Amino acid sequence: MLLEIILGFIVVLALLILFITIGNNKFSFAIIRIEEAENNIEVLLHKKYDLLQRCCPIIIKELKVKDFLPDIGEIKLEEINHFELNDTLKKGYNELFKTIDNNEKLLKSESLMAIMDDLEKNEIDLSAAQKFYNDAVIVFNKLILAFPSNIIGFFKGYKKKDFYNNEKREMFQILNDR
């Protein structure tokens, strides 16, 4: 009788340890994917920042304006998070395209067009990196909300992470409301 109780306790303890290990590994894999995506996004955002910075003197010279994209020049990369940097750079990117569309003589600048090609390639890579990030965040946030992994998330102090675009936020809200 005592042997059966001890064996039952050992089995329950083994199952509990297995549950905790599997849940912890799921969180670890999700965190690794998120960190990988954040690193890729950081590199691509810095490249986009540099490319936009390189466009400014060309446009200032060609259009004979005093300043162009002053918000980009005032960014302190070490003091801004990726979401804010992304939003600021997106505004600058859109302003650049609007300026080029409104001034045909800028299309004749080979150096500006080369930078624009690099910006376009960077934008495609950045979009892919943000999708990878959002997909990893969906997995992570589901782990935080779903039983039984939410128990591990609670004890580890994990909090839901934000997405890079509103579409994913809205989709996750729908999942959250179920």
Side-chain angles (χ1 to χ4, degrees), residues 100-158:
I100 290 173
D101 284 345
N102 293 336
N103 298 284
E104 287 185 27
K105 71 179 180 178
L106 292 174
L107 295 172
K108 296 175 185 168
S109 171
E110 290 179 23
S111 57
L112 183 60
M113 290 301 105
I115 295 170
M116 293 303 297
D117 287 342
D118 289 343
L119 266 169
E120 187 175 330
K121 291 173 190 167
N122 180 267
E123 197 65 21
I124 291 168
D125 292 342
L126 184 59
S127 178
Q130 289 172 345
K131 181 183 180 331
F132 180 77
Y133 173 87
N134 286 342
D135 291 345
V137 166
I138 286 174
V139 170
F140 182 81
N141 287 350
K142 281 181 182 178
L143 287 171
I144 287 176
L145 292 175
F147 181 80
S149 60
N150 63 348
I151 296 168
I152 294 170
F154 174 76
F155 283 111
K156 292 272 195 162
Y158 295 140

Side-chain angles (χ1 to χ4, degrees), residues 44-76:
L44 292 166
L45 286 174
H46 285 191
K47 183 176 180 182
K48 185 175 184 177
Y49 171 79
D50 292 338
L51 290 168
L52 288 172
Q53 286 281 72
R54 288 177 39 206
C55 287
C56 291
I58 297 169
I59 291 176
I60 289 170
K61 179 182 174 192
E62 291 291 328
L63 298 181
K64 297 176 178 45
V65 293
K66 184 178 177 186
D67 200 8
F68 184 73
L69 300 178
D71 293 344
I72 302 295
E74 295 172 1
I75 294 175
K76 297 193 180 0

Side-chain angles (χ1 to χ4, degrees), residues 7-119:
L7 283 176
F9 179 73
I10 290 173
V11 168
V12 169
L13 186 61
L15 288 174
L16 184 62
I17 290 171
L18 182 65
F19 156 74
I20 291 170
T21 303
I22 290 171
N24 194 44
N25 285 345
K26 286 181 179 181
F27 273 110
S28 294
F29 291 138
I31 290 169
I32 289 169
R33 289 186 71 199
I34 289 170
E35 288 174 351
E36 179 184 348
E38 286 175 334
N39 290 337
N40 290 339
I41 289 169
E42 181 177 6
V43 167
L44 292 166
L45 286 174
H46 285 191
K47 183 176 180 182
K48 185 175 184 177
Y49 171 79
D50 292 338
L51 290 168
L52 288 172
Q53 286 281 72
R54 288 177 39 206
C55 287
C56 291
I58 297 169
I59 291 176
I60 289 170
K61 179 182 174 192
E62 291 291 328
L63 298 181
K64 297 176 178 45
V65 293
K66 184 178 177 186
D67 200 8
F68 184 73
L69 300 178
D71 293 344
I72 302 295
E74 295 172 1
I75 294 175
K76 297 193 180 0
L77 293 175
E78 60 280 346
E79 296 176 6
I80 189 170
N81 71 41
H82 291 164
F83 296 104
E84 294 168 341
L85 180 59
N86 182 58
D87 291 344
T88 303
L89 293 179
K90 188 175 283 195
K91 288 176 191 169
Y93 184 74
N94 292 337
E95 182 66 29
L96 174 63
F97 267 97
K98 193 165 74 173
T99 302
I100 290 173
D101 284 345
N102 293 336
N103 298 284
E104 287 185 27
K105 71 179 180 178
L106 292 174
L107 295 172
K108 296 175 185 168
S109 171
E110 290 179 23
S111 57
L112 183 60
M113 290 301 105
I115 295 170
M116 293 303 297
D117 287 342
D118 289 343
L119 266 169

